Amino acid sequence: MLKSVRIILALALTITAAHAGVLPEDRADIMYHRYEGGGVTIDGPSLLIRKSMLDDLSVSFNHYVDNVTSASIDVQVYASGASVYSEQRKENAVGLTYLHNNTTINFGYTNSEESDYSAETASFAISQDFFGALSNLSLSFAQGDDVVRMNNREGGVITSTDDIGTVDRNNYRIAFSQVATKNLVFNATLETITDQGFLNNPYRKIRYLDSDGITQKDAPEQYPETRTSDAFALRANYFWPWWRAALKFEARTFTDTWGIKGKTFEIKYTHPFDDAWIFEGKVRQYDQTAADFYRDLFPYENFQNFMARDKEMSSYSTFGFGAAATYEWKNIDFSFIERMTLSLYADFVRYQYDDFHDARESRNGGAFAAGNEPLYEYDAVVTRLIFSVYY
Amino acid sequence: MRKLALIFLALSLSACSITPWVKPYERQNLADKVMESERDEVQGSYIAHVYAAREGQRGAEGGSGGGCGCN
């Protein structure tokens, strides 16, 4: 971890408690989520239940499902046989929160399973209010162990599965929140993530020019076996007293040992109406530079030790905007229910790639030479419908 | 940006002897539901996952993360 962060960490740990924190609200959420874009449709449910007990404990359980139907550009370019595949991912997560005066301790465990990937993550976090509850410092650590497999398909049906490798992940996060005024809160978050193991997608390939300089051929991607990244985010929430509305701002930077640099800017406006409605709008911009070993088309086979053609490793930008509406029922006849809400969120995101070309246009009699195809871009719509009960 | 944030953190941590300038009875606006960073935890972690699965960057999101083969 950075030397400067270690110094601040040592200072933070010497500060004593002064004020009580609060447990998360008891609630049950059922969400339908849907992502549609780039030839991929992913939808499914997510169920969250949270309950407090003994005045200082809160437990939570989340069951989440992704139903995937994919005819992405990678599937269309590289998959033999069927041009569309279907997959399902299931994720279960449990959490335990313990509150003691102004200190909150969280334990979490998440398991994700799909036919060709298993992931387990265990996390621990400690959060401390101090300085009259105007400040909060939290430290968290998560360790993940993943198993990577590869399905062999014939006609879209899985005929066998091969073990490919494993991934070990460690996340280290420190976050600090500060109340600045009656209407303004700042937050700074720094997170370092380290990965080791098989870090690429076993299905994806790179392409290179054959000895004739015209014919394109495919070969498996070759990624480094380690990756370390640092992400830093600054957030500010401002309460607009004249309208009883809130303006939220986020700026995030990212850098890693693969040479990728990313920047995110997001502005969100939240406005209540008639004491039962909340409306929200947001705008988000993301820009990224390519990994050092990324190329859309390599000049020849075995050009370098590490080679990638994953569009998520390329230079590109995204622009998105979203809106949300929440309605709240307050006077509920059932004795144990305090209130209920129904929320709809919708986001539109445009992805525009600067150095990832549409290889479909140069294959199977396409009109373009390899490397001269149009740059790839696509739009995605992300929708969430959530019904929540607070008890 | 990182240097600025580190200075901000150090100043905040060094001010322990100063009386809180926002009294408890002045914090009603901060506790308003519109000021919540994320009203719905399930959707906050979901949209963070959507972004992380399609972007090279990861970390320092508003919520916690986990692994998946979503690349």
Side-chain angles (χ1 to χ4, degrees):
Chain A
M1 197 181 289
L2 300 171
K3 180 181 178 182
S4 52
V5 173
R6 290 199 295 268
I7 291 171
I8 291 178
L9 191 59
L11 286 172
L13 291 175
T14 62
I15 295 169
T16 56
H19 196 80
V22 292
L23 288 173
E25 276 187 285
D26 291 349
R27 60 188 293 176
D29 300 329
I30 180 74
M31 176 176 77
Y32 171 75
H33 60 86
R34 184 179 181 88
Y35 170 93
E36 213 165 343
V40 178
T41 300
I42 306 174
D43 71 349
S46 178
L47 171 67
L48 171 70
I49 298 174
R50 182 182 293 282
K51 182 75 179 74
S52 59
M53 51 189 71
L54 302 175
D55 293 332
D56 53 8
L57 279 178
S58 176
V59 294
S60 66
F61 171 73
N62 178 233
H63 177 68
Y64 174 94
V65 180
D66 273 337
N67 297 304
V68 180
T69 302
S70 178
S72 70
I73 187 171
D74 292 327
V75 171
Q76 293 181 52
V77 170
Y78 296 122
S80 58
S83 59
V84 177
Y85 81 89
S86 296
E87 178 68 275
Q88 186 180 67
R89 182 175 80 90
K90 293 182 180 178
E91 181 177 292
N92 293 300
V94 293
L96 176 69
T97 302
Y98 173 66
L99 176 65
H100 179 68
N101 290 334
N102 63 324
T103 304
T104 305
I105 299 174
N106 287 281
F107 297 94
Y109 172 78
T110 303
N111 174 259
S112 171
E113 292 287 345
E114 53 192 301
S115 63
D116 54 4
Y117 205 97
S118 299
E120 286 188 317
T121 307
S123 63
F124 167 79
I126 183 165
S127 172
Q128 178 96 12
D129 285 342
F130 58 99
F131 193 31
L134 291 183
S135 307
N136 177 276
L137 182 73
S138 69
L139 308 169
S140 61
F141 169 73
Q143 182 167 354
D145 296 293
D146 301 351
V147 178
V148 185
R149 298 179 291 273
M150 183 172 178
N151 290 329
N152 301 303
R153 295 173 184 259
E154 286 184 16
V157 178
I158 298 173
T159 54
S160 62
T161 302
D162 300 326
D163 290 330
I164 300 298
T166 61
V167 179
D168 296 325
R169 285 177 290 104
N170 291 300
N171 298 45
Y172 308 89
R173 176 193 285 223
I174 179 170
F176 182 79
S177 295
Q178 178 67 55
V179 172
T181 70
K182 293 186 293 185
N183 299 317
L184 181 60
V185 180
F186 288 107
N187 173 273
T189 302
L190 176 65
E191 184 167 1
T192 294
I193 302 175
T194 65
D195 298 281
Q196 183 172 347
F198 189 87
L199 303 182
N200 53 296
N201 184 321
Y203 304 99
R204 194 172 285 115
K205 296 180 173 64
I206 58 106
R207 58 177 185 164
Y208 62 92
L209 289 176
D210 203 4
S211 53
D212 62 5
I214 299 173
T215 307
Q216 58 178 310
K217 289 192 170 182
D218 301 331
E221 288 187 314
Q222 300 293 332
Y223 274 41
E225 291 187 349
T226 60
R227 181 187 187 190
T228 299
S229 65
D230 295 309
F232 177 74
L234 275 178
R235 296 181 176 89
N237 287 13
Y238 176 70
F239 183 85
W240 222 322
W242 304 277
W243 296 338
R244 218 204 109 206
L247 194 62
K248 296 157 193 167
F249 174 75
E250 173 183 317
R252 179 154 58 123
T253 66
F254 172 88
T255 182
D256 71 358
T257 51
W258 287 0
I260 298 173
K261 289 181 171 44
K263 290 181 183 176
T264 308
F265 295 98
E266 180 176 305
I267 295 177
K268 188 184 295 185
Y269 178 73
T270 308
H271 193 103
F273 178 76
D274 201 27
D275 202 36
W277 289 94
I278 293 179
F279 297 100
E280 193 169 89
K282 78 176 192 189
V283 173
R284 183 179 187 272
Q285 170 81 27
Y286 174 67
D287 297 283
Q288 174 180 301
T289 62
D292 296 332
F293 51 92
Y294 168 86
R295 284 207 188 193
D296 174 67
L297 177 67
F298 289 88
Y300 52 85
E301 190 178 15
N302 298 319
F303 176 73
Q304 57 194 32
N305 289 340
F306 302 123
M307 295 182 288
R309 194 180 176 266
D310 181 357
K311 58 186 186 297
E312 276 86 47
M313 298 285 114
S314 70
S315 292
Y316 70 96
S317 61
T318 76
F319 177 77
F321 57 87
T326 300
Y327 182 79
E328 181 175 339
W329 291 272
K330 291 181 181 174
N331 299 316
I332 310 296
D333 288 336
F334 295 115
S335 59
F336 67 96
I337 296 177
E338 293 180 357
R339 58 192 179 97
M340 300 187 298
T341 60
L342 183 66
S343 300
L344 178 65
Y345 294 79
D347 286 74
F348 173 87
V349 187
R350 165 153 292 178
Y351 294 79
Q352 291 180 299
Y353 296 87
D354 300 328
D355 53 8
F356 180 82
H357 293 254
D358 190 342
R360 296 172 298 185
E361 300 295 335
S362 60
R363 299 182 177 225
N364 302 318
F368 295 89
N372 290 326
E373 310 95 336
L375 290 171
Y376 184 58
E377 63 179 34
Y378 73 94
D379 299 327
V381 176
V382 191
T383 313
R384 292 84 77 204
L385 181 65
I386 308 163
F387 177 67
S388 304
V389 175
Y390 296 79
Y391 46 85
Chain B
M1 187 186 289
R2 183 176 296 186
K3 284 184 183 175
L4 199 63
L6 288 172
I7 292 170
F8 167 75
L9 285 174
L11 284 174
S12 300
L13 290 168
S14 66
C16 298
S17 60
I18 299 176
T19 303
W21 57 88
V22 180
K23 304 293 187 291
Y25 53 83
E26 294 178 319
R27 300 178 191 178
Q28 67 276 10
N29 291 345
L30 301 174
D32 196 296
K33 55 187 174 182
V34 299
M35 284 289 279
E36 289 177 299
S37 296
E38 187 52 68
R39 293 194 307 283
D40 297 301
E41 179 185 343
V42 282
Q43 97 82 25
S45 58
Y46 169 73
I47 196 65
H49 162 75
V50 168
Y51 293 138
R54 291 161 188 83
E55 296 172 355
Q57 76 171 358
R58 72 252 176 104
E61 301 99 344
S64 59
C68 70
C70 307
N71 59 352

